[in-house]
Amino acid sequence: MVYQWDADLYQQKHAFVHQYGSSLIDWLNPQQGEKILDLGCGTGELTHQIAQSAAEVIGIDQSEEMVHRAKQQYPNMQFQVMDATELTGLPQFDAVFSNAVLHWVLEAKQAIQQLYQYLKPKGRLVAELGGKNNIAQIISALNKQRVNFGYEVINIENQWYFPSVGEYSSLLEAEGFEVQQTHYYYRETTLAEDGIKEWIRMFAGRWLADVASHHKEKLLEATQESLRSTLFREGSWYADYKRLRILAVKT
Ligand code: BEZ
């Protein structure tokens, strides 16, 4: 699925994506001279942070706009437009790092096979993605309002892949990885001032694509309001993120 990204909106209002991802670099523990692939690098902030350890990092992203912005921000670093399921022309890596990207890749098995192929023996995959029941409250509220406004329910499984620890571990093991560390946790995520509405505009465009323009704002407002009692506290909106972190090694 090709998704259109707005790099301005992403950087201005959704910097939390790379800010939260920063602690995943501790799991990666990059070493001087290692070759590392940042899969789904977005605008390059984490790629740049990984490079501080003197590792040699290549950032790839499926979005031309994101890669363009990454190159503008970090002109001395390597970024390429590439899809996770169609890797090509890359070297062998000591590690693959991926933050908040793999849930967009519905062909999970294909992506895992590709990553395996580009890792050196004993190379590690360090990834965080949305886990089972990720953003379940937001999606349920959105679908409820879609029905109220006369639109059909959208099946989340056609949009994102939010696996359980067992499911993702099994996929990795089936392709030859040894899963060494996993962490599934609830991480309520503070949103920018326009809260749930802004999050939906940025990340869940599919839920609005068929909504008539005179309904859009009303549907967004109704969705947000229905979540006020659970996802709004002390002046801030939160997204009900459930994260899956994984460290797996190529055997
Ligand atoms: C996530 O990071 O969990 C996520 C982001 C956008 C859409 C869906 C999930």
Side-chain angles (χ1 to χ4, degrees):
M1 176 171 45
V2 177
Y3 197 86
Q4 283 307 112
W5 288 100
D6 179 337
D8 285 332
L9 191 59
Y10 179 78
Q11 287 198 297
Q12 285 158 17
K13 305 228 166 141
H14 303 91
F16 65 80
V17 177
H18 65 80
Q19 285 160 358
Y20 280 110
S22 191
S23 65
L24 187 63
I25 297 177
D26 295 340
W27 279 46
L28 177 68
N29 190 18
Q31 303 294 313
Q32 180 170 7
E34 280 192 322
K35 269 196 174 27
I36 296 178
L37 176 68
D38 181 5
L39 175 80
C41 61
T43 45
E45 285 80 3
L46 293 178
T47 329
H48 181 248
Q49 221 170 299
I50 295 167
Q52 301 311 301
S53 60
E56 191 188 316
V57 197
I58 299 179
I60 61 167
D61 203 286
Q62 172 248 39
S63 160
E64 276 183 38
E65 181 160 357
M66 292 294 204
V67 167
H68 179 71
R69 181 61 54 90
K71 283 180 174 168
Q72 275 179 337
Q73 294 206 102
Y74 308 108
N76 298 325
M77 295 188 58
Q78 291 187 67
F79 297 100
Q80 291 183 44
V81 178
M82 210 178 286
D83 192 293
T85 58
E86 290 173 30
L87 303 182
T88 173
L90 294 168
Q92 294 291 111
F93 293 100
D94 295 289
V96 174
F97 174 88
S98 181
N99 177 53
V101 169
L102 286 169
H103 49 253
W104 293 97
V105 183
L106 300 184
E107 308 88 353
K109 180 177 168 168
Q110 212 174 314
I112 289 169
Q113 284 170 343
Q114 293 273 292
L115 296 178
Y116 190 86
Q117 194 183 319
Y118 279 95
L119 275 170
K120 296 178 188 174
K122 305 257 177 273
R124 55 211 195 275
L125 168 63
V126 173
E128 176 166 317
L129 62 155
K132 192 172 170 64
N133 294 330
N134 192 34
I135 53 161
Q137 292 186 55
I138 296 180
I139 295 307
S140 157
L142 245 180
N143 268 333
K144 208 177 215 169
Q145 292 308 324
R146 279 183 60 87
V147 172
N148 286 349
F149 280 78
Y151 303 93
E152 283 178 6
V153 163
I154 292 180
N155 184 354
I156 195 169
E157 274 143 37
N158 299 330
Q159 308 299 312
W160 299 301
Y161 177 52
F162 298 140
S164 66
V165 172
E167 205 177 320
Y168 213 67
S169 298
S170 298
L171 274 183
L172 288 164
E173 284 166 1
E175 299 309 323
F177 281 99
E178 179 180 277
V179 176
Q180 294 193 342
Q181 206 173 325
T182 61
H183 185 34
Y184 173 69
Y185 63 108
Y186 185 35
R187 192 200 71 205
E188 273 194 336
T189 297
T190 318
L191 299 175
E193 79 269 15
D194 211 9
I196 303 289
K197 295 200 289 183
E198 192 62 51
W199 187 92
I200 295 169
R201 283 195 206 99
M202 179 79 201
F203 296 116
R206 174 67 191 86
W207 266 261
L208 300 176
D210 60 341
V211 174
S213 45
H214 67 284
H215 276 159
K216 270 192 184 133
E217 189 52 36
K218 290 188 187 126
L219 191 150
L220 282 171
E221 190 62 38
T223 304
Q224 177 157 288
E225 277 316 302
S226 73
L227 290 165
R228 185 173 286 278
S229 65
T230 50
L231 294 181
F232 186 78
R233 274 192 307 285
E234 293 164 14
S236 292
W237 284 100
Y238 295 87
D240 55 324
Y241 275 15
K242 302 232 165 85
R243 317 310 286 169
L244 171 57
R245 276 190 182 188
I246 225 147
L247 163 61
V249 172
K250 176 171 177 168
T251 54

PDB file of all heavy atoms in Angstrom, residues 200-229:
ATOM      1  N   ILE A 200      -5.800  11.416  13.414  1.00  0.00           N
ATOM      2  CA  ILE A 200      -6.544  10.726  12.344  1.00  0.00           C
ATOM      3  C   ILE A 200      -6.186  11.331  10.984  1.00  0.00           C
ATOM      4  O   ILE A 200      -5.938  10.605  10.020  1.00  0.00           O
ATOM      5  CB  ILE A 200      -8.070  10.815  12.600  1.00  0.00           C
ATOM      6  CG1 ILE A 200      -8.438  10.049  13.867  1.00  0.00           C
ATOM      7  CG2 ILE A 200      -8.866  10.280  11.397  1.00  0.00           C
ATOM      8  CD1 ILE A 200      -9.856  10.282  14.365  1.00  0.00           C
ATOM      9  N   ARG A 201      -6.126  12.663  10.923  1.00  0.00           N
ATOM     10  CA  ARG A 201      -5.782  13.308   9.635  1.00  0.00           C
ATOM     11  C   ARG A 201      -4.426  12.832   9.149  1.00  0.00           C
ATOM     12  O   ARG A 201      -4.219  12.600   7.967  1.00  0.00           O
ATOM     13  CB  ARG A 201      -5.755  14.829   9.782  1.00  0.00           C
ATOM     14  CG  ARG A 201      -7.120  15.452   9.815  1.00  0.00           C
ATOM     15  CD  ARG A 201      -7.014  16.959   9.577  1.00  0.00           C
ATOM     16  NE  ARG A 201      -8.149  17.616  10.192  1.00  0.00           N
ATOM     17  CZ  ARG A 201      -8.132  18.210  11.375  1.00  0.00           C
ATOM     18  NH1 ARG A 201      -7.006  18.305  12.071  1.00  0.00           N
ATOM     19  NH2 ARG A 201      -9.220  18.755  11.857  1.00  0.00           N
ATOM     20  N   MET A 202      -3.475  12.700  10.062  1.00  0.00           N
ATOM     21  CA  MET A 202      -2.110  12.322   9.659  1.00  0.00           C
ATOM     22  C   MET A 202      -1.996  10.836   9.321  1.00  0.00           C
ATOM     23  O   MET A 202      -1.384  10.461   8.321  1.00  0.00           O
ATOM     24  CB  MET A 202      -1.134  12.651  10.809  1.00  0.00           C
ATOM     25  CG  MET A 202       0.308  12.283  10.530  1.00  0.00           C
ATOM     26  SD  MET A 202       1.097  13.506   9.494  1.00  0.00           S
ATOM     27  CE  MET A 202       2.464  12.621   8.801  1.00  0.00           C
ATOM     28  N   PHE A 203      -2.565   9.988  10.174  1.00  0.00           N
ATOM     29  CA  PHE A 203      -2.258   8.554  10.061  1.00  0.00           C
ATOM     30  C   PHE A 203      -3.403   7.679   9.565  1.00  0.00           C
ATOM     31  O   PHE A 203      -3.176   6.531   9.205  1.00  0.00           O
ATOM     32  CB  PHE A 203      -1.797   8.004  11.418  1.00  0.00           C
ATOM     33  CG  PHE A 203      -0.500   8.602  11.914  1.00  0.00           C
ATOM     34  CD1 PHE A 203      -0.458   9.362  13.070  1.00  0.00           C
ATOM     35  CD2 PHE A 203       0.683   8.394  11.220  1.00  0.00           C
ATOM     36  CE1 PHE A 203       0.732   9.901  13.532  1.00  0.00           C
ATOM     37  CE2 PHE A 203       1.888   8.930  11.677  1.00  0.00           C
ATOM     38  CZ  PHE A 203       1.905   9.687  12.834  1.00  0.00           C
ATOM     39  N   ALA A 204      -4.624   8.158   9.643  1.00  0.00           N
ATOM     40  CA  ALA A 204      -5.753   7.280   9.305  1.00  0.00           C
ATOM     41  C   ALA A 204      -6.604   7.898   8.202  1.00  0.00           C
ATOM     42  O   ALA A 204      -7.842   7.875   8.253  1.00  0.00           O
ATOM     43  CB  ALA A 204      -6.578   7.000  10.562  1.00  0.00           C
ATOM     44  N   GLY A 205      -5.927   8.418   7.204  1.00  0.00           N
ATOM     45  CA  GLY A 205      -6.613   9.084   6.083  1.00  0.00           C
ATOM     46  C   GLY A 205      -7.648   8.186   5.410  1.00  0.00           C
ATOM     47  O   GLY A 205      -8.673   8.667   4.931  1.00  0.00           O
ATOM     48  N   ARG A 206      -7.383   6.868   5.425  1.00  0.00           N
ATOM     49  CA  ARG A 206      -8.299   5.926   4.777  1.00  0.00           C
ATOM     50  C   ARG A 206      -9.720   6.016   5.362  1.00  0.00           C
ATOM     51  O   ARG A 206     -10.704   5.798   4.690  1.00  0.00           O
ATOM     52  CB  ARG A 206      -7.716   4.511   4.942  1.00  0.00           C
ATOM     53  CG  ARG A 206      -8.577   3.378   4.467  1.00  0.00           C
ATOM     54  CD  ARG A 206      -8.747   3.389   2.946  1.00  0.00           C
ATOM     55  NE  ARG A 206      -9.791   2.453   2.544  1.00  0.00           N
ATOM     56  CZ  ARG A 206     -11.083   2.737   2.499  1.00  0.00           C
ATOM     57  NH1 ARG A 206     -11.523   3.923   2.846  1.00  0.00           N
ATOM     58  NH2 ARG A 206     -11.961   1.831   2.107  1.00  0.00           N
ATOM     59  N   TRP A 207      -9.787   6.331   6.666  1.00  0.00           N
ATOM     60  CA  TRP A 207     -11.090   6.399   7.328  1.00  0.00           C
ATOM     61  C   TRP A 207     -11.890   7.628   6.904  1.00  0.00           C
ATOM     62  O   TRP A 207     -13.067   7.728   7.181  1.00  0.00           O
ATOM     63  CB  TRP A 207     -10.902   6.388   8.851  1.00  0.00           C
ATOM     64  CG  TRP A 207     -10.987   5.009   9.448  1.00  0.00           C
ATOM     65  CD1 TRP A 207     -12.082   4.457  10.056  1.00  0.00           C
ATOM     66  CD2 TRP A 207      -9.991   3.996   9.498  1.00  0.00           C
ATOM     67  NE1 TRP A 207     -11.811   3.170  10.462  1.00  0.00           N
ATOM     68  CE2 TRP A 207     -10.540   2.853  10.136  1.00  0.00           C
ATOM     69  CE3 TRP A 207      -8.680   3.921   9.049  1.00  0.00           C
ATOM     70  CZ2 TRP A 207      -9.830   1.688  10.337  1.00  0.00           C
ATOM     71  CZ3 TRP A 207      -7.972   2.753   9.241  1.00  0.00           C
ATOM     72  CH2 TRP A 207      -8.547   1.661   9.880  1.00  0.00           C
ATOM     73  N   LEU A 208     -11.211   8.564   6.257  1.00  0.00           N
ATOM     74  CA  LEU A 208     -11.889   9.800   5.836  1.00  0.00           C
ATOM     75  C   LEU A 208     -12.036   9.891   4.320  1.00  0.00           C
ATOM     76  O   LEU A 208     -12.758  10.758   3.814  1.00  0.00           O
ATOM     77  CB  LEU A 208     -11.092  11.031   6.311  1.00  0.00           C
ATOM     78  CG  LEU A 208     -10.899  11.172   7.821  1.00  0.00           C
ATOM     79  CD1 LEU A 208     -10.008  12.370   8.109  1.00  0.00           C
ATOM     80  CD2 LEU A 208     -12.241  11.318   8.527  1.00  0.00           C
ATOM     81  N   ALA A 209     -11.356   8.994   3.599  1.00  0.00           N
ATOM     82  CA  ALA A 209     -11.265   9.138   2.140  1.00  0.00           C
ATOM     83  C   ALA A 209     -12.634   9.170   1.461  1.00  0.00           C
ATOM     84  O   ALA A 209     -12.838   9.914   0.504  1.00  0.00           O
ATOM     85  CB  ALA A 209     -10.406   8.015   1.564  1.00  0.00           C
ATOM     86  N   ASP A 210     -13.563   8.363   1.939  1.00  0.00           N
ATOM     87  CA  ASP A 210     -14.877   8.313   1.287  1.00  0.00           C
ATOM     88  C   ASP A 210     -15.913   9.181   2.008  1.00  0.00           C
ATOM     89  O   ASP A 210     -17.105   9.134   1.684  1.00  0.00           O
ATOM     90  CB  ASP A 210     -15.383   6.859   1.226  1.00  0.00           C
ATOM     91  CG  ASP A 210     -15.533   6.242   2.614  1.00  0.00           C
ATOM     92  OD1 ASP A 210     -14.929   6.783   3.568  1.00  0.00           O
ATOM     93  OD2 ASP A 210     -16.252   5.245   2.754  1.00  0.00           O
ATOM     94  N   VAL A 211     -15.484   9.951   2.981  1.00  0.00           N
ATOM     95  CA  VAL A 211     -16.422  10.777   3.761  1.00  0.00           C
ATOM     96  C   VAL A 211     -16.633  12.116   3.040  1.00  0.00           C
ATOM     97  O   VAL A 211     -15.663  12.771   2.647  1.00  0.00           O
ATOM     98  CB  VAL A 211     -15.856  11.005   5.194  1.00  0.00           C
ATOM     99  CG1 VAL A 211     -16.724  11.986   5.973  1.00  0.00           C
ATOM    100  CG2 VAL A 211     -15.738   9.684   5.927  1.00  0.00           C
ATOM    101  N   ALA A 212     -17.888  12.490   2.858  1.00  0.00           N
ATOM    102  CA  ALA A 212     -18.202  13.742   2.154  1.00  0.00           C
ATOM    103  C   ALA A 212     -17.569  14.916   2.896  1.00  0.00           C
ATOM    104  O   ALA A 212     -17.500  14.906   4.136  1.00  0.00           O
ATOM    105  CB  ALA A 212     -19.720  13.915   2.087  1.00  0.00           C
ATOM    106  N   SER A 213     -17.131  15.933   2.147  1.00  0.00           N
ATOM    107  CA  SER A 213     -16.386  17.015   2.804  1.00  0.00           C
ATOM    108  C   SER A 213     -17.215  17.726   3.880  1.00  0.00           C
ATOM    109  O   SER A 213     -16.666  18.122   4.908  1.00  0.00           O
ATOM    110  CB  SER A 213     -15.824  17.996   1.789  1.00  0.00           C
ATOM    111  OG  SER A 213     -16.787  18.313   0.849  1.00  0.00           O
ATOM    112  N   HIS A 214     -18.541  17.813   3.690  1.00  0.00           N
ATOM    113  CA  HIS A 214     -19.339  18.502   4.725  1.00  0.00           C
ATOM    114  C   HIS A 214     -19.524  17.624   5.985  1.00  0.00           C
ATOM    115  O   HIS A 214     -19.979  18.122   7.013  1.00  0.00           O
ATOM    116  CB  HIS A 214     -20.703  18.942   4.161  1.00  0.00           C
ATOM    117  CG  HIS A 214     -21.618  17.811   3.806  1.00  0.00           C
ATOM    118  ND1 HIS A 214     -21.451  17.055   2.659  1.00  0.00           N
ATOM    119  CD2 HIS A 214     -22.686  17.293   4.457  1.00  0.00           C
ATOM    120  CE1 HIS A 214     -22.403  16.123   2.622  1.00  0.00           C
ATOM    121  NE2 HIS A 214     -23.160  16.249   3.697  1.00  0.00           N
ATOM    122  N   HIS A 215     -19.128  16.363   5.916  1.00  0.00           N
ATOM    123  CA  HIS A 215     -19.218  15.480   7.092  1.00  0.00           C
ATOM    124  C   HIS A 215     -17.893  15.381   7.844  1.00  0.00           C
ATOM    125  O   HIS A 215     -17.878  15.007   9.013  1.00  0.00           O
ATOM    126  CB  HIS A 215     -19.584  14.051   6.658  1.00  0.00           C
ATOM    127  CG  HIS A 215     -21.050  13.820   6.464  1.00  0.00           C
ATOM    128  ND1 HIS A 215     -21.542  12.794   5.695  1.00  0.00           N
ATOM    129  CD2 HIS A 215     -22.137  14.479   6.964  1.00  0.00           C
ATOM    130  CE1 HIS A 215     -22.861  12.831   5.717  1.00  0.00           C
ATOM    131  NE2 HIS A 215     -23.248  13.846   6.463  1.00  0.00           N
ATOM    132  N   LYS A 216     -16.795  15.668   7.130  1.00  0.00           N
ATOM    133  CA  LYS A 216     -15.463  15.305   7.675  1.00  0.00           C
ATOM    134  C   LYS A 216     -15.220  15.867   9.078  1.00  0.00           C
ATOM    135  O   LYS A 216     -14.933  15.145  10.013  1.00  0.00           O
ATOM    136  CB  LYS A 216     -14.356  15.763   6.727  1.00  0.00           C
ATOM    137  CG  LYS A 216     -14.036  14.669   5.736  1.00  0.00           C
ATOM    138  CD  LYS A 216     -12.775  14.922   4.949  1.00  0.00           C
ATOM    139  CE  LYS A 216     -12.676  13.780   3.947  1.00  0.00           C
ATOM    140  NZ  LYS A 216     -12.388  14.133   2.608  1.00  0.00           N
ATOM    141  N   GLU A 217     -15.333  17.204   9.198  1.00  0.00           N
ATOM    142  CA  GLU A 217     -15.001  17.833  10.476  1.00  0.00           C
ATOM    143  C   GLU A 217     -15.960  17.361  11.566  1.00  0.00           C
ATOM    144  O   GLU A 217     -15.559  17.118  12.712  1.00  0.00           O
ATOM    145  CB  GLU A 217     -15.020  19.361  10.308  1.00  0.00           C
ATOM    146  CG  GLU A 217     -14.489  20.165  11.469  1.00  0.00           C
ATOM    147  CD  GLU A 217     -13.084  19.744  11.955  1.00  0.00           C
ATOM    148  OE1 GLU A 217     -12.223  19.359  11.121  1.00  0.00           O
ATOM    149  OE2 GLU A 217     -12.856  19.796  13.193  1.00  0.00           O
ATOM    150  N   LYS A 218     -17.242  17.196  11.188  1.00  0.00           N
ATOM    151  CA  LYS A 218     -18.237  16.757  12.190  1.00  0.00           C
ATOM    152  C   LYS A 218     -17.933  15.331  12.660  1.00  0.00           C
ATOM    153  O   LYS A 218     -18.044  15.023  13.846  1.00  0.00           O
ATOM    154  CB  LYS A 218     -19.645  16.789  11.574  1.00  0.00           C
ATOM    155  CG  LYS A 218     -20.158  18.188  11.322  1.00  0.00           C
ATOM    156  CD  LYS A 218     -21.625  18.138  10.905  1.00  0.00           C
ATOM    157  CE  LYS A 218     -22.074  19.526  10.494  1.00  0.00           C
ATOM    158  NZ  LYS A 218     -22.668  19.575   9.164  1.00  0.00           N
ATOM    159  N   LEU A 219     -17.541  14.481  11.724  1.00  0.00           N
ATOM    160  CA  LEU A 219     -17.224  13.092  12.095  1.00  0.00           C
ATOM    161  C   LEU A 219     -15.974  13.048  12.991  1.00  0.00           C
ATOM    162  O   LEU A 219     -15.932  12.329  13.990  1.00  0.00           O
ATOM    163  CB  LEU A 219     -17.023  12.265  10.821  1.00  0.00           C
ATOM    164  CG  LEU A 219     -16.947  10.756  10.965  1.00  0.00           C
ATOM    165  CD1 LEU A 219     -17.479  10.070   9.697  1.00  0.00           C
ATOM    166  CD2 LEU A 219     -15.542  10.277  11.214  1.00  0.00           C
ATOM    167  N   LEU A 220     -14.988  13.877  12.634  1.00  0.00           N
ATOM    168  CA  LEU A 220     -13.765  13.938  13.446  1.00  0.00           C
ATOM    169  C   LEU A 220     -14.081  14.429  14.852  1.00  0.00           C
ATOM    170  O   LEU A 220     -13.614  13.890  15.860  1.00  0.00           O
ATOM    171  CB  LEU A 220     -12.747  14.885  12.794  1.00  0.00           C
ATOM    172  CG  LEU A 220     -11.971  14.334  11.594  1.00  0.00           C
ATOM    173  CD1 LEU A 220     -11.166  15.439  10.924  1.00  0.00           C
ATOM    174  CD2 LEU A 220     -11.034  13.207  12.046  1.00  0.00           C
ATOM    175  N   GLU A 221     -14.876  15.490  14.928  1.00  0.00           N
ATOM    176  CA  GLU A 221     -15.235  16.089  16.217  1.00  0.00           C
ATOM    177  C   GLU A 221     -15.993  15.070  17.078  1.00  0.00           C
ATOM    178  O   GLU A 221     -15.702  14.899  18.263  1.00  0.00           O
ATOM    179  CB  GLU A 221     -16.111  17.330  15.943  1.00  0.00           C
ATOM    180  CG  GLU A 221     -16.388  18.217  17.132  1.00  0.00           C
ATOM    181  CD  GLU A 221     -15.130  18.833  17.736  1.00  0.00           C
ATOM    182  OE1 GLU A 221     -14.215  19.209  16.978  1.00  0.00           O
ATOM    183  OE2 GLU A 221     -15.079  18.904  18.985  1.00  0.00           O
ATOM    184  N   ALA A 222     -16.959  14.373  16.450  1.00  0.00           N
ATOM    185  CA  ALA A 222     -17.760  13.391  17.198  1.00  0.00           C
ATOM    186  C   ALA A 222     -16.877  12.246  17.691  1.00  0.00           C
ATOM    187  O   ALA A 222     -17.029  11.755  18.812  1.00  0.00           O
ATOM    188  CB  ALA A 222     -18.880  12.861  16.304  1.00  0.00           C
ATOM    189  N   THR A 223     -15.932  11.832  16.863  1.00  0.00           N
ATOM    190  CA  THR A 223     -15.018  10.753  17.272  1.00  0.00           C
ATOM    191  C   THR A 223     -14.197  11.207  18.477  1.00  0.00           C
ATOM    192  O   THR A 223     -14.101  10.508  19.495  1.00  0.00           O
ATOM    193  CB  THR A 223     -14.065  10.379  16.109  1.00  0.00           C
ATOM    194  OG1 THR A 223     -14.843  10.022  14.974  1.00  0.00           O
ATOM    195  CG2 THR A 223     -13.155   9.229  16.478  1.00  0.00           C
ATOM    196  N   GLN A 224     -13.634  12.396  18.356  1.00  0.00           N
ATOM    197  CA  GLN A 224     -12.781  12.898  19.443  1.00  0.00           C
ATOM    198  C   GLN A 224     -13.594  13.029  20.734  1.00  0.00           C
ATOM    199  O   GLN A 224     -13.150  12.596  21.795  1.00  0.00           O
ATOM    200  CB  GLN A 224     -12.152  14.231  19.035  1.00  0.00           C
ATOM    201  CG  GLN A 224     -11.312  14.851  20.137  1.00  0.00           C
ATOM    202  CD  GLN A 224     -10.275  15.830  19.607  1.00  0.00           C
ATOM    203  OE1 GLN A 224      -9.295  15.430  18.998  1.00  0.00           O
ATOM    204  NE2 GLN A 224     -10.502  17.095  19.839  1.00  0.00           N
ATOM    205  N   GLU A 225     -14.756  13.614  20.639  1.00  0.00           N
ATOM    206  CA  GLU A 225     -15.571  13.827  21.840  1.00  0.00           C
ATOM    207  C   GLU A 225     -15.930  12.507  22.509  1.00  0.00           C
ATOM    208  O   GLU A 225     -15.966  12.421  23.737  1.00  0.00           O
ATOM    209  CB  GLU A 225     -16.839  14.618  21.499  1.00  0.00           C
ATOM    210  CG  GLU A 225     -16.597  16.112  21.450  1.00  0.00           C
ATOM    211  CD  GLU A 225     -15.729  16.611  22.615  1.00  0.00           C
ATOM    212  OE1 GLU A 225     -16.113  16.416  23.778  1.00  0.00           O
ATOM    213  OE2 GLU A 225     -14.628  17.164  22.362  1.00  0.00           O
ATOM    214  N   SER A 226     -16.179  11.477  21.702  1.00  0.00           N
ATOM    215  CA  SER A 226     -16.570  10.187  22.295  1.00  0.00           C
ATOM    216  C   SER A 226     -15.396   9.555  23.055  1.00  0.00           C
ATOM    217  O   SER A 226     -15.587   8.622  23.826  1.00  0.00           O
ATOM    218  CB  SER A 226     -17.088   9.242  21.211  1.00  0.00           C
ATOM    219  OG  SER A 226     -16.009   8.779  20.424  1.00  0.00           O
ATOM    220  N   LEU A 227     -14.188  10.061  22.815  1.00  0.00           N
ATOM    221  CA  LEU A 227     -13.002   9.506  23.495  1.00  0.00           C
ATOM    222  C   LEU A 227     -12.543  10.362  24.675  1.00  0.00           C
ATOM    223  O   LEU A 227     -11.569  10.029  25.350  1.00  0.00           O
ATOM    224  CB  LEU A 227     -11.852   9.367  22.482  1.00  0.00           C
ATOM    225  CG  LEU A 227     -12.052   8.277  21.413  1.00  0.00           C
ATOM    226  CD1 LEU A 227     -11.065   8.454  20.266  1.00  0.00           C
ATOM    227  CD2 LEU A 227     -11.903   6.886  22.032  1.00  0.00           C
ATOM    228  N   ARG A 228     -13.243  11.486  24.890  1.00  0.00           N
ATOM    229  CA  ARG A 228     -12.780  12.448  25.906  1.00  0.00           C
ATOM    230  C   ARG A 228     -12.628  11.785  27.285  1.00  0.00           C
ATOM    231  O   ARG A 228     -11.651  12.014  27.996  1.00  0.00           O
ATOM    232  CB  ARG A 228     -13.728  13.646  25.966  1.00  0.00           C
ATOM    233  CG  ARG A 228     -13.254  14.748  26.899  1.00  0.00           C
ATOM    234  CD  ARG A 228     -14.121  15.990  26.799  1.00  0.00           C
ATOM    235  NE  ARG A 228     -13.903  16.752  25.582  1.00  0.00           N
ATOM    236  CZ  ARG A 228     -12.908  17.632  25.395  1.00  0.00           C
ATOM    237  NH1 ARG A 228     -12.026  17.839  26.343  1.00  0.00           N
ATOM    238  NH2 ARG A 228     -12.802  18.288  24.258  1.00  0.00           N
ATOM    239  N   SER A 229     -13.589  10.938  27.661  1.00  0.00           N
ATOM    240  CA  SER A 229     -13.544  10.394  29.032  1.00  0.00           C
ATOM    241  C   SER A 229     -12.374   9.409  29.217  1.00  0.00           C
ATOM    242  O   SER A 229     -11.913   9.195  30.330  1.00  0.00           O
ATOM    243  CB  SER A 229     -14.865   9.705  29.375  1.00  0.00           C
ATOM    244  OG  SER A 229     -15.013   8.595  28.527  1.00  0.00           O
TER     245      SER A 229
END
